């Protein structure tokens, strides 16, 4: 079976359920997206690895794993999303130590959080992408807001399909558009200091939308 390389596009949030997220992966040599429902903790960990400006005062679980691996000369070479059963993705982490390769089973969210920290490539099989890959209508950078809404709709549809949706727990996402950049940066510092990485990721998203590095 042929492997297809994927890049991480980002994390999308549910519009109806608080704490519900989907990781959106891009097909490198194509236009399909692979959305994967993930938990809040994993979403925060991935968001922190993507946003270099968010530096936790203490290492998160995936950071600790990276530090542990570095200390014992273990390298994550690649991650392969190798199976899809009833909407659940299964992944393998290919590691190497002393030129000996080992394959570890892992949840896809954990595998990708580690791949980011090791700068390791992410792959899936063409059959999986054919089955679960989607095309988003909006792909132009000038239509980022529309694309974000469409991705959120995809998250809600995935939650409904997997039976994870629970609108009774829904809570509106805070709107940061009315804040100035300086206020956003101050709030970002406060969220990181309080280890509220979900809030920090949302604030950083708003800063990024304004084209500020």
């Amino acid at each position: 079976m042929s492997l297809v390389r994927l890049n991480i596009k980002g994390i999308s949030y549910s519009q109806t359920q608080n704490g519900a997220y989907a990781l959106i992966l891009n097909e490198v040599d194509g236009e399909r997206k692979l959305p994967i429902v993930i938990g809040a903790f994993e979403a925060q960990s991935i968001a922190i690895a993507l946003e270099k400006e968010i530096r936790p005062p203490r290492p998160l679980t995936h950071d600790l794993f990276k530090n542990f691996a570095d200390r014992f000369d273990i390298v994550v070479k690649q991650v392969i999303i190798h199976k899809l059963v009833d909407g659940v993705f299964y992944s393998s982490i290919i590691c190497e130590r002393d030129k000996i390769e080992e394959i570890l089973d892992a949840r896809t969210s954990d595998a990708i959080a580690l791949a980011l920290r090791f700068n390791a490539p992410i792959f899936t099989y063409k059959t999986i992408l054919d089955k679960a890959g989607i095309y988003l209508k909006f792909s132009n950078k000038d239509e980022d807001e529309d694309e974000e809404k469409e991705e959120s709709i995809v998250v809600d549809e995935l939650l409904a399909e997997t039976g994870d949706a629970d609108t009774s727990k829904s809570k509106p996402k805070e709107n940061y558009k009315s804040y100035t950049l300086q206020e956003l940066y101050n709030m970002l510092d406060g969220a990181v200091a309080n280890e509220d990485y979900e809030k920090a990721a949302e604030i950083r998203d708003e800063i990024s939308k304004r084209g500020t590095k």
Side-chain angles (χ1 to χ4, degrees):
M1 291 186 288
S2 59
L3 287 172
V4 178
R5 185 163 180 175
L6 303 169
N7 282 337
I8 298 174
K9 181 183 183 297
I11 296 171
S12 183
Y13 308 88
S14 169
Q15 292 183 330
T16 62
Q17 184 180 350
N18 186 52
Y21 307 89
L23 177 66
I24 308 296
L25 302 174
N26 276 334
E27 179 184 14
V28 171
D29 295 320
E31 298 181 358
R32 286 176 293 182
K33 318 291 182 185
L34 188 65
I36 301 173
V37 174
I38 60 176
F41 172 78
E42 291 78 13
Q44 292 175 29
S45 181
I46 291 171
I48 288 169
L50 289 170
E51 298 290 351
K52 303 301 182 184
E53 292 186 21
I54 301 178
R55 296 184 177 86
R58 297 181 297 174
L60 300 182
T61 302
H62 297 110
D63 298 318
L64 178 61
F65 186 99
K66 174 65 163 59
N67 295 339
F68 181 89
D70 288 344
R71 180 65 60 90
F72 292 96
D73 297 321
I74 301 169
V75 178
V76 172
K77 304 294 290 184
Q78 61 181 343
V79 163
I80 299 176
I81 304 170
H82 63 83
K83 186 168 66 174
L84 173 61
V85 179
D86 296 330
V88 178
F89 293 89
Y90 295 78
S91 294
S92 296
I93 300 174
I94 289 78
C95 305
E96 186 178 275
R97 181 172 184 264
D98 295 333
K99 297 183 179 180
I100 299 174
E101 187 175 277
E102 298 285 350
I103 300 176
L104 303 176
D105 182 43
R107 295 188 305 166
T108 297
S109 53
D110 289 328
I112 290 176
L114 290 174
L116 275 169
R117 287 162 170 80
F118 283 90
N119 294 316
I122 302 165
F123 297 92
T124 191
Y125 290 109
K126 183 179 180 298
T127 52
I128 293 177
L129 195 58
D130 289 341
K131 181 178 180 180
I134 62 172
Y135 291 94
L136 294 182
K137 178 181 177 182
F138 299 101
S139 58
N140 191 307
K141 290 184 179 180
D142 294 332
E143 297 171 317
D144 283 344
E145 188 171 342
D146 290 327
E147 186 176 10
E148 181 180 346
K149 289 179 181 178
E150 188 175 4
E151 288 176 355
S152 295
I153 292 172
V154 169
V155 178
D156 293 332
E157 290 175 347
L158 286 171
L159 290 168
E161 290 174 3
T162 58
D164 291 334
D166 185 355
T167 54
S168 65
K169 296 181 181 179
S170 63
K171 183 177 74 175
K173 185 179 172 183
E174 186 170 351
N175 191 333
Y176 295 100
K177 293 181 180 179
S178 61
Y179 294 98
T180 66
L181 276 174
Q182 187 56 55
E183 288 173 331
L184 288 172
Y185 277 115
N186 291 339
M187 292 168 66
L188 176 62
D189 291 340
V192 172
N194 293 327
E195 299 188 13
D196 188 348
Y197 301 120
E198 180 178 351
K199 182 176 180 180
E202 291 176 359
I203 295 170
R204 183 57 194 159
D205 284 346
E206 178 60 31
I207 293 174
S208 298
K209 287 177 187 176
R210 301 189 189 189
T212 303
K213 298 181 179 179

